[in-house]
Amino acid sequence: MVLKSDDVNYLIYRYLKESGFLHTSYIFQFESQVHGAGSEQANVEPGSLIRVLQKGLQYMDVETHLNEDGTARLCTAPFSLVGKHVCSVQADARGAAKGAPHGGHTLVHDAKEKRAARVDTGDESESMDVDVPDADAPRGERGRRRGLLVDSAQLLRGHAAPVFLCAWSAGGVLATGAGDGTARIWDVARGSSVALRHEAGEAGARVDITAIAWSEQGALLATASFDGQLRVWTGAGELKQQLRQRRVPVIAVRWNRKGSSLLSAHLDGSVALWDVHTGQLRHELLRAHAGCVLDADWLDNSTFATCGNDRTVRIWRDGEPIKTLSGHSADINSIRWHPAGKFLASASDDGSVKV
């Protein structure tokens, strides 16, 4: 058996990514240099780290509760990954020891019961609780009783890896971004799509799509990838501009109201402002935040706000800082201006939202 640190790091990276910790996974991948380009890593199934931990925990459970003569030791105490396990037995009202869903013996016992039940019923499938609306109730009443009622769902296929992002344009066109190095513009009615491919700039560089954004008019789509490339596409999927600053992952992209400028927020704390028509870099703010820039939002065509894991919100005008807001005690994940520009809301890992 060979246990390599790169394999462990890759499983941790995949767990973070699959669990929705996108910013954390980007930082971990960047620092651990896990690329995932090998054939073995390409075949790793989702949830692999959890399965390995579960099997290891079951083995430890059985090993702990197995006597020297091969019999199982009765134990009702929970068995977990953290903390020292201390066996205990809980008795019922008749003085007999009660079984519990923990302990090595119960794993074997539960498995036997499940097999016996399947033999009795002849059903090999596991049951599933299904929330079935009352067919006799009016359609509107069913929705009020059960919440939102979805009559049908259309499945769109095309990506070959987990899909991280989706965004609708003002005209109702859907775009998505995935870990297969493509963004897609969909014709939802037909279920077809145009693939916007992001080729690796260098051998082995990851090309996960990390951000997508439609211009406010819906005519242009901006996409960003983990290798630091920023691209602008037409609504038909034609490449209009390819913008490259540095080989630093892009966390977010935002259009100004007019659609003339594009802002890109980066993992290393920098922010870049681009002229979309010329493809030129207008401003480069190398130290916008003392850490990763996690989000940004435009107030108008020249003023925008940024936030990061340095627990601050900063307001800029034409690339110059005009105000810094502090008060959160943890990373600030998201910021949004009020539609009328009166207020700015920020959401943080400290569990609070400030306006």
Side-chain angles (χ1 to χ4, degrees):
M1 181 175 67
V2 178
L3 184 63
K4 297 186 293 185
S5 61
D6 286 346
D7 294 340
V8 175
N9 287 339
Y10 183 71
L11 290 182
I12 296 172
Y13 164 71
R14 283 287 298 270
Y15 166 76
L16 292 171
K17 199 175 193 180
E18 293 162 7
S19 300
F21 300 105
L22 297 183
H23 302 312
T24 306
S25 67
Y26 296 152
I27 295 171
F28 183 78
Q29 192 276 341
F30 189 68
E31 293 184 346
S32 64
Q33 296 299 306
V34 175
H35 293 299
S39 58
E40 294 181 358
Q41 292 179 347
N43 295 325
V44 173
E45 297 180 357
S48 293
L49 179 62
I50 299 301
R51 282 195 294 273
V52 170
L53 291 175
Q54 286 175 335
K55 289 180 180 179
L57 189 62
Q58 288 177 350
Y59 178 85
M60 293 167 60
D61 190 353
V62 173
E63 184 183 44
T64 300
H65 298 96
L66 194 64
N67 296 317
E68 293 183 0
D69 59 358
T71 60
R73 187 182 311 128
L74 185 62
C75 174
T76 60
F79 199 93
S80 64
L81 280 173
V82 295
K84 183 179 180 180
H85 178 72
V86 178
C87 289
S88 66
V89 178
Q90 179 182 359
D92 59 15
R94 295 171 297 179
K98 294 174 62 178
H102 302 287
H105 62 290
T106 57
L107 294 174
V108 178
H109 180 67
D110 290 346
K112 288 180 178 179
E113 285 189 344
K114 288 181 180 179
R115 284 198 296 270
R118 287 176 179 170
V119 170
D120 293 340
T121 62
D123 184 9
E124 290 290 330
S125 62
E126 296 185 4
S127 62
M128 177 181 293
D129 293 332
V130 180
D131 187 10
V132 181
D134 185 359
D136 297 330
R139 190 180 191 84
E141 183 66 23
R142 278 184 276 166
R144 286 192 290 273
R145 289 181 185 177
R146 304 281 186 168
L148 179 64
L149 179 64
V150 179
D151 292 325
S152 63
Q154 183 177 356
L155 181 63
L156 303 177
R157 294 188 179 275
H159 288 293
V163 183
F164 308 132
L165 307 160
C166 61
W168 292 95
S169 72
V173 179
L174 177 65
T176 57
D180 58 0
T182 68
R184 289 182 177 269
I185 298 176
W186 296 87
D187 183 333
V188 176
R190 297 182 179 180
S192 59
S193 64
V194 177
L196 315 178
R197 304 193 181 279
H198 297 65
E199 304 297 337
E202 57 184 58
R206 293 195 62 83
V207 288
D208 291 6
I209 307 303
T210 56
I212 59 175
W214 288 98
S215 62
E216 191 156 319
Q217 297 77 15
L220 299 174
L221 174 70
T223 63
S225 53
F226 195 85
D227 61 356
Q229 294 197 45
L230 185 64
R231 294 175 171 87
V232 178
W233 313 78
T234 67
E238 299 176 354
L239 183 61
K240 179 180 176 66
Q241 293 283 0
Q242 181 165 335
L243 316 172
R244 182 149 189 160
Q245 180 190 18
R246 288 170 289 117
R247 294 187 180 92
V248 179
V250 180
I251 301 300
V253 291
R254 298 287 184 265
W255 294 87
N256 68 349
R257 305 298 185 198
K258 194 163 55 175
S260 58
S261 296
L262 186 65
L263 179 153
S264 59
H266 296 258
L267 182 67
D268 64 350
S270 64
V271 172
L273 288 175
W274 303 87
D275 186 315
V276 177
H277 300 302
T278 64
Q280 299 299 312
L281 180 65
R282 291 175 50 201
H283 298 285
E284 186 176 18
L285 314 175
L286 294 178
R287 296 292 181 267
H289 286 270
C292 177
V293 184
L294 298 178
D295 200 10
D297 195 34
W298 287 88
L299 172 63
D300 49 38
N301 292 313
S302 59
T303 307
F304 61 90
T306 60
C307 66
N309 60 4
D310 61 357
R311 307 174 184 179
T312 66
V313 174
R314 294 187 176 179
I315 301 175
W316 311 76
R317 180 173 293 128
D318 293 324
E320 297 294 331
I322 59 176
K323 195 164 189 178
T324 298
L325 307 176
S326 59
H328 283 291
S329 59
D331 296 3
I332 303 174
N333 300 310
S334 179
I335 51 173
R336 287 296 180 271
W337 287 99
H338 182 274
K342 296 180 179 180
F343 308 106
L344 177 65
S346 60
S348 170
D349 278 348
D350 62 11
S352 71
V353 175
K354 294 184 182 294
V355 178

